[in-house]
Amino acid sequence: MNCKKYPGTMDVRMNPVSPHIESLSRQLTSELAEVETRFTAELVSDVDCVNELVRHLERYRGKMLRPMLVFLAAQAAKPDQPIREEHRVIATTVELIHMASLVHDDILDEAELRRRGKTVNALRGNETAVMLGDYLFSHAYHLCSSLDSQPTARIIARAANTVCEGELLQLANRDNWSLDEETYMQIIHRKTAALVGVSCDLGARFADADPQMREDLKCYGELIGMAFQIADDVLDLTGDVATVGKSLGKDLEKGKLTLPLIRRMETAHRVEHQQLLDLLRADRLGNAERIAELVADSDAMDYTRRRAQRLVDQAKALVEALPDSPAKKAMDEVADRVIDRKF
Amino acid sequence: MNCKKYPGTMDVRMNPVSPHIESLSRQLTSELAEVETRFTAELVSDVDCVNELVRHLERYRGKMLRPMLVFLAAQAAKPDQPIREEHRVIATTVELIHMASLVHDDILDEAELRRRGKTVNALRGNETAVMLGDYLFSHAYHLCSSLDSQPTARIIARAANTVCEGELLQLANRDNWSLDEETYMQIIHRKTAALVGVSCDLGARFADADPQMREDLKCYGELIGMAFQIADDVLDLTGDVATVGKSLGKDLEKGKLTLPLIRRMETAHRVEHQQLLDLLRADRLGNAERIAELVADSDAMDYTRRRAQRLVDQAKALVEALPDSPAKKAMDEVADRVIDRKF
């Protein structure tokens, strides 16, 4: 199993700027710790080797954006209501699903294995990673079914369906150097944004938010999810290794065209376009640095930043319409932070 | 994706021997056709490439043992009650889960890829297979959540957890030529028998069977599930290619020790034991035929057959205790058929 720490996980620690925010911050820290506890408890097995493998998931742990949004959406919808048991269960469920997709994302296909020339690692590679991911998924549903809410289970399953569709659409467009922006947005909406949106939606649902507020919060989640993915894609292509802390060009290696390069290709003169195509076809990974330079030396980066910023602004506008509360302020901050990563 | 037709799927067509059986047979054929329809409908996506991939699942289609057992258990529990909507949903759900596990079983790890020297196939190999399997799983839960029964969802999710545990336990025992029979039984109980048991259990549940009857039918399912897996493992090691219709030695290639070989190793004299070990370590696949010969030329095959027969007999005894009905008779036949495959 290729166990690199998941890149680009959002650092969404909020800076306490007021007692209310500080109080919220403490509460969230406590709730997230509880999510971590339940996450671990859900995965305990009476099969020793399974427990051993689960321990290896440490490297995938992030800042729990999705669980945090469950709680924030609940509090932003109804600031005076306490977090409920359902919120904790849902928060843990979405994190399990997210973790499962990270594990499955790490599956290497034959071409990559051959290119990398890796030996079978101690965790027995792909097959174990597949089963471990499946284990996480089935436990997500197992946990989710402890709620007395079939509609919620349906919403969560639907979100998982959508993630799969996004990943399959992305796979189908491997090595498609003519990938258009519309399809790219479709891909990231499904594979990343949908689950973030559902986290907000369900947080609001179990705070008894009215339908409009639920819809707004769901939208907020989807918008920042898309912005986050765009920022992540930019970092992969042109980021600073020291900052990002992972090897770059992973998307290029996988034949994944992302927004900066899509834009560059779409707006390039015939000669430049051909130049880029030649670089990509000849040695996508070896030429990654050169390709990144050509992208940086164009309006493609500005375009991408503006695109992401617009999504964040739309998200913030939705939150702005909510009644004032520390959670509302926090969600406003979170929206800014999803793209504030040396972007 | 390595798309070989799934081997060893049970041929459980029943021979009509009486008008009642014939009537049941017709009813089952109709119900299974409905399951197929719902299976297809559940997987429809608005993403074209997803639909295209789903079409490739044709090659995995079997005889729908698990759906059939949902219906048979229901009818055996309450012969005068009609099949319900819940039965159809559950039957489709367990088939989706089964199909997903078949797709994921086909993921090849690095060692196998290198051994086989396969080129990337048209379906883009492992990553697509992972996502397609995930798509099937998430749709299983999506469908299951349409039932107004959280306990049922929990039972199904738990079964899926168990399948994963079985597969992981099996993976952890790769190349373990000292695998003992107890652990082997643990593996097959989890990875194969559990889901068959749950199919029977839920069929009975939604026929309002009393707890004892549910338990008996669940047990029946687990017992024939184990017997089926043992028969499948025997065929893989020593089967006739023409009969089985697939390449043999797949288990050996994966370093999987199964019951005939476990028994052979456990009862071998020191010299024979060393001989087998040497053959396995040197070239497990190349020596498969020789290894199979050594197994056949011993009491290991008889021992294995008796083991499987005992499980079948136990299953039949449980069904015998049910009130007479065509379904009861059918379940008795099914139990015989799981091991009646040139075994």
Side-chain angles (χ1 to χ4, degrees):
Chain A
M1 181 160 54
N2 184 25
C3 289
K4 289 214 179 70
K5 178 154 174 55
Y6 185 60
T9 313
M10 267 186 50
D11 178 346
V12 285
R13 280 189 301 272
M14 289 164 298
N15 290 324
V17 293
S18 78
H20 298 294
I21 291 277
E22 203 171 324
S23 162
L24 175 65
S25 191
R26 272 199 312 272
Q27 184 192 11
L28 282 173
T29 300
S30 159
E31 293 292 357
L32 291 178
E34 178 60 20
V35 166
E36 188 129 7
T37 300
R38 291 176 184 225
F39 184 100
T40 302
E42 176 60 37
L43 296 177
V44 168
S45 167
D46 58 349
V47 178
D48 288 342
C49 71
V50 172
N51 294 325
E52 227 181 279
L53 277 164
V54 166
R55 274 193 283 277
H56 284 281
L57 293 173
E58 266 309 305
R59 68 198 72 216
Y60 289 98
R61 290 302 186 87
K63 301 289 183 209
M64 293 206 277
L65 164 68
R66 293 152 195 76
M68 191 179 66
L69 286 172
V70 172
F71 299 129
L72 283 180
Q75 297 272 255
K78 295 282 171 75
D80 301 323
Q81 278 191 29
I83 293 294
R84 296 184 203 170
E85 174 61 14
E86 290 95 329
H87 292 127
R88 298 179 184 107
V89 171
I90 288 162
T92 311
T93 297
V94 295
E95 188 65 8
L96 281 162
I97 289 174
H98 174 57
M99 197 69 67
S101 65
L102 293 185
V103 171
H104 277 183
D105 271 354
D106 257 1
I107 306 291
L108 301 173
D109 79 1
E110 298 94 317
E112 289 163 336
L113 283 166
R114 237 168 285 124
R115 258 199 299 272
R116 293 192 190 188
K118 271 199 157 48
T119 55
V120 177
N121 62 37
L123 290 170
R124 294 196 166 279
N126 281 346
E127 282 161 312
T128 299
V130 175
M131 286 307 150
L132 186 57
D134 288 352
Y135 185 73
L136 287 165
F137 269 126
S138 69
H139 272 283
Y141 297 121
H142 182 248
L143 179 60
C144 180
S145 65
S146 68
L147 286 175
D148 191 19
S149 175
Q150 281 287 71
T152 296
R154 198 148 172 89
I155 288 170
I156 281 173
R158 179 118 278 329
N161 295 348
T162 304
V163 170
C164 293
E165 286 176 332
E167 296 278 1
L168 287 167
L169 185 52
Q170 181 171 258
L171 280 166
N173 281 287
R174 269 254 184 109
D175 301 338
N176 177 12
W177 308 122
S178 317
L179 182 65
D180 63 303
E181 189 176 319
E182 170 58 35
T183 308
Y184 167 85
M185 296 302 276
Q186 278 274 339
I187 289 170
I188 72 172
H189 188 274
R190 288 168 197 270
K191 77 167 185 169
T192 304
L195 190 60
V196 181
V198 158
S199 302
C200 296
D201 177 35
L202 292 176
R205 177 198 175 99
F206 284 97
D208 301 321
D210 62 66
Q212 184 59 58
M213 193 177 276
R214 260 186 83 181
E215 187 57 36
D216 288 350
L217 286 163
K218 180 182 181 184
C219 249
Y220 162 93
E222 290 176 357
L223 289 163
I224 68 165
M226 304 241 283
F228 171 74
Q229 187 61 59
I230 290 172
D232 206 49
D233 291 346
V234 167
L235 281 171
D236 182 274
L237 186 64
T238 61
D240 183 81
V241 179
T243 311
V244 179
K246 59 142 184 156
S247 58
L248 303 174
K250 202 172 164 194
D251 290 337
L252 274 182
E253 186 184 13
K254 284 176 176 274
K256 252 199 261 180
L257 210 63
T258 59
L259 193 53
L261 192 42
I262 287 173
R263 177 66 179 176
R264 188 73 184 88
M265 300 284 278
E266 275 182 350
T267 55
H269 302 302
R270 201 167 52 80
V271 169
E272 291 170 324
H273 185 92
Q274 192 57 50
Q275 185 184 16
L276 277 160
L277 259 183
D278 291 341
L279 287 167
L280 287 162
R281 286 173 178 161
D283 180 5
R284 67 188 77 174
L285 192 54
N287 291 326
E289 215 175 306
R290 180 80 188 110
I291 291 164
E293 275 170 22
L294 287 168
V295 168
D297 182 34
S298 75
D299 93 312
M301 287 307 299
D302 275 342
Y303 177 86
T304 303
R305 277 189 201 101
R306 284 198 312 271
R307 200 80 174 73
Q309 187 63 57
R310 206 155 54 235
L311 291 162
V312 165
D313 292 343
Q314 286 170 343
K316 291 172 69 160
L318 286 167
V319 159
E320 185 52 40
L322 295 170
D324 286 344
S325 72
K328 166 180 169 171
K329 184 154 185 21
M331 292 185 89
D332 186 80
E333 277 189 37
V334 165
D336 283 326
R337 281 188 184 275
V338 291
I339 57 173
D340 176 26
R341 295 176 295 148
K342 297 277 188 282
F343 180 30
Chain B
M1 181 159 56
N2 182 26
C3 293
K4 290 213 177 74
K5 180 151 174 55
Y6 185 60
T9 315
M10 266 185 52
D11 178 347
V12 287
R13 281 190 299 275
M14 290 164 298
N15 290 324
V17 295
S18 79
H20 297 294
I21 291 276
E22 201 170 327
S23 164
L24 175 65
S25 189
R26 270 197 313 270
Q27 182 190 13
L28 283 174
T29 301
S30 160
E31 292 292 356
L32 291 178
E34 178 59 21
V35 166
E36 189 128 7
T37 299
R38 292 176 184 224
F39 184 100
T40 302
E42 175 61 37
L43 296 177
V44 168
S45 168
D46 57 350
V47 178
D48 286 342
C49 70
V50 172
N51 294 324
E52 226 181 278
L53 278 164
V54 167
R55 275 193 282 278
H56 283 281
L57 292 172
E58 267 308 305
R59 68 198 72 217
Y60 289 100
R61 289 302 184 88
K63 301 289 184 210
M64 294 207 277
L65 164 68
R66 291 152 196 78
M68 192 180 65
L69 286 171
V70 172
F71 299 129
L72 282 180
Q75 297 272 260
K78 295 281 171 74
D80 301 322
Q81 279 191 27
I83 293 295
R84 294 184 204 171
E85 174 61 13
E86 291 94 329
H87 292 128
R88 297 180 184 104
V89 172
I90 288 162
T92 310
T93 298
V94 294
E95 188 65 8
L96 281 162
I97 290 173
H98 174 58
M99 195 69 65
S101 65
L102 293 186
V103 171
H104 277 183
D105 270 355
D106 257 0
I107 305 293
L108 300 173
D109 78 0
E110 298 93 319
E112 291 164 334
L113 282 167
R114 236 168 285 126
R115 259 199 298 273
R116 293 194 191 186
K118 268 197 160 45
T119 55
V120 176
N121 61 39
L123 289 169
R124 291 193 168 282
N126 282 346
E127 282 161 313
T128 299
V130 175
M131 287 306 150
L132 185 57
D134 288 352
Y135 184 73
L136 287 165
F137 269 126
S138 68
H139 271 284
Y141 296 122
H142 182 248
L143 179 60
C144 180
S145 65
S146 68
L147 286 175
D148 191 19
S149 175
Q150 280 287 71
T152 296
R154 198 149 172 88
I155 287 169
I156 280 175
R158 181 113 294 319
N161 295 346
T162 304
V163 171
C164 294
E165 286 175 332
E167 295 280 359
L168 286 167
L169 186 52
Q170 181 171 258
L171 280 165
N173 281 287
R174 269 256 184 108
D175 301 337
N176 177 11
W177 308 121
S178 318
L179 183 65
D180 62 305
E181 188 175 320
E182 170 58 34
T183 309
Y184 166 84
M185 295 303 276
Q186 277 275 338
I187 288 170
I188 72 173
H189 189 275
R190 288 170 197 269
K191 77 167 187 168
T192 305
L195 190 60
V196 181
V198 158
S199 302
C200 295
D201 178 33
L202 292 176
R205 176 197 176 100
F206 284 96
D208 302 320
D210 63 65
Q212 184 58 58
M213 194 176 275
R214 260 185 83 180
E215 187 58 36
D216 287 350
L217 285 164
K218 180 182 180 182
C219 248
Y220 162 92
E222 289 174 358
L223 289 163
I224 67 164
M226 303 241 282
F228 170 75
Q229 187 62 60
I230 290 172
D232 206 50
D233 291 346
V234 166
L235 280 172
D236 181 272
L237 186 64
T238 61
D240 182 82
V241 178
T243 310
V244 178
K246 60 142 185 160
S247 58
L248 301 174
K250 200 172 168 196
D251 291 337
L252 275 181
E253 187 185 11
K254 284 176 177 276
K256 253 199 262 179
L257 210 63
T258 59
L259 193 52
L261 193 41
I262 287 173
R263 177 65 180 178
R264 188 71 183 91
M265 300 284 277
E266 276 181 352
T267 54
H269 301 304
R270 202 169 51 81
V271 170
E272 292 170 322
H273 185 93
Q274 193 58 50
Q275 187 185 15
L276 277 160
L277 258 183
D278 292 341
L279 287 168
L280 287 163
R281 286 173 177 161
D283 180 6
R284 68 189 77 173
L285 192 55
N287 291 327
E289 215 175 306
R290 179 77 189 114
I291 291 164
E293 276 170 22
L294 286 167
V295 169
D297 182 33
S298 74
D299 93 314
M301 286 307 299
D302 275 341
Y303 176 86
T304 303
R305 277 189 202 102
R306 282 196 314 269
R307 199 86 172 71
Q309 187 63 56
R310 206 155 54 236
L311 291 162
V312 165
D313 292 341
Q314 285 170 342
K316 291 171 68 161
L318 286 167
V319 160
E320 183 54 37
L322 295 172
D324 286 344
S325 72
K328 167 180 168 172
K329 183 154 185 22
M331 291 183 91
D332 185 81
E333 277 191 36
V334 165
D336 283 326
R337 279 186 185 279
V338 290
I339 56 173
D340 175 28
R341 293 176 296 148
K342 296 281 190 278
F343 181 31

